[in-house]
């Protein structure tokens, strides 16, 4: 079902104004279409990065939990808890805002800190190995978190841009064009009627 025409008087001034507005909307549609294409490209790039990082993080976590299981068997929950109280942080994490095509998401940096061995505190080497494995997994998880949040927000913005593009292309701009065509037809018909009336008057006067 066609959308109704814009309710405006069929005058030349209105026609000129509608033509300018239609041109502005078409330019806006072109910009939005370009933004949608760029967002789609970014989404696919981030999607590939996300899948790769997720696989790496899953492998790193499997190794880390296997190592943690060995440490748990050797030290027990209480032993791990006591030794962990004296352990220093393994990561330095920084979070800053970042923007791409108007979409803001956190930029996460996670750097490894040198781990001081605690094997001399009544533990064995498995505890230090577990700390290494967990730190490696945590770095990957921090990068994965950034990519996942960015991907989600880019997807959301891409969907919004797609809706606006469709609304302009299939609803707003065609409505303007139909209204412009209607006004042009009305003005042409009015001009023909005027010319006909002038011709009749001349014939009578002659």
């Amino acid at each position: 079902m066609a959308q109704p025409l814009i309710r405006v008087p069929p005058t030349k001034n209105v026609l000129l104004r509608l033509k300018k507005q239609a041109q502005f909307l078409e330019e806006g549609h072109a910009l939005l279409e370009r933004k949608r294409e760029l967002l789609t490209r970014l989404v696919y790039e981030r999607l590939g990065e996300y899948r790769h990082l997720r696989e790496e993080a899953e492998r790193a976590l499997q190794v880390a939990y296997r190592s943690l299981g060995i440490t748990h068997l050797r030290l027990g929950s209480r032993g791990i808890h006591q030794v962990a109280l004296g352990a220093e942080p393994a990561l330095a994490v920084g979070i800053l805002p970042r923007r791409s095509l108007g979409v803001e998401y956190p930029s996460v940096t996670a750097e490894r800190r040198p781990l001081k061995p605690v094997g001399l505190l009544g533990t064995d080497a498995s505890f230090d190995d577990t700390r290494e494995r967990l730190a490696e997994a945590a770095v990957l998880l921090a990068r994965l978190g950034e990519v996942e949040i960015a991907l989600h927000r880019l997807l959301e913005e891409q969907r919004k841009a797609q809706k606006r593009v469709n609304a302009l292309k299939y609803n707003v701009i065609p409505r303007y064009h139909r209204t412009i065509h209607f006004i042009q037809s009305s003005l042409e018909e009015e001009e023909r009627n005027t010319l006909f009336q002038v011709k009749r008057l001349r014939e009578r006067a002659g």
Side-chain angles (χ1 to χ4, degrees):
M1 183 177 177
Q3 293 289 329
L5 300 177
I6 301 170
R7 297 181 64 180
V8 289
T11 64
K12 288 184 179 180
N13 287 337
V14 170
L15 179 62
L16 290 172
R17 188 176 78 243
L18 288 180
K19 284 183 175 180
K20 288 181 180 179
Q21 291 174 350
Q23 183 180 358
F24 176 78
L25 289 170
E26 287 167 357
E27 291 171 356
H29 172 265
L31 288 173
L32 270 175
E33 180 65 30
R34 177 62 177 159
K35 180 180 180 180
R36 185 197 63 78
E37 291 173 357
L38 292 172
L39 283 168
T40 302
R41 187 183 305 168
L42 276 177
V43 164
Y44 277 107
E45 289 175 1
R46 286 284 180 169
L47 188 59
E49 187 180 2
Y50 170 76
R51 287 171 177 166
H52 176 70
L53 278 173
R54 183 168 179 173
E55 290 175 0
E56 281 193 24
E58 286 176 352
R59 286 195 294 268
L61 283 172
Q62 287 176 357
V63 172
Y65 277 112
R66 191 180 303 118
S67 179
L68 180 61
I70 294 171
T71 303
H72 188 268
L73 286 173
R74 293 181 177 178
L75 300 179
S77 298
R78 185 176 180 182
I80 291 175
H81 179 70
Q82 288 178 341
V83 179
L85 289 175
E88 296 181 357
L91 295 179
V93 179
I95 302 176
L96 292 172
R98 185 177 176 184
R99 295 181 75 87
S100 290
L101 294 172
V103 181
E104 186 172 310
Y105 54 89
S107 174
V108 182
T109 56
E111 296 180 0
R112 292 282 309 277
R113 286 182 173 177
L115 295 179
K116 296 179 180 180
V118 293
L120 300 178
L121 301 176
T123 68
D124 57 27
S126 69
F127 182 78
D128 291 331
D129 183 67
T130 296
R131 292 170 67 206
E132 288 283 349
R133 300 289 174 264
L134 287 171
E136 290 170 2
V139 169
L140 289 170
L141 288 172
R143 290 173 56 197
L144 179 64
E146 175 191 327
V147 173
E148 187 171 357
I149 292 172
L151 179 60
H152 174 75
R153 293 184 182 177
L154 287 168
L155 270 170
E156 187 176 355
E157 189 67 21
Q158 194 264 353
R159 291 192 191 103
K160 288 180 182 177
Q162 182 67 64
K163 285 183 179 179
R164 294 187 185 114
V165 165
N166 289 341
L168 285 170
K169 182 178 181 180
Y170 298 111
N171 185 357
V172 180
I173 293 175
R175 190 180 182 193
Y176 268 80
H177 285 167
R178 286 194 300 272
T179 304
I180 288 169
H181 179 72
F182 171 77
I183 293 175
Q184 285 176 331
S185 298
S186 299
L187 291 174
E188 289 170 2
E189 180 66 23
E190 183 180 341
E191 187 177 353
R192 282 194 295 269
N193 289 336
T194 301
L195 290 173
F196 179 75
Q197 293 295 333
V198 170
K199 185 178 178 181
R200 292 287 301 274
L201 288 171
R202 285 178 179 173
E203 289 175 352
R204 289 178 183 176

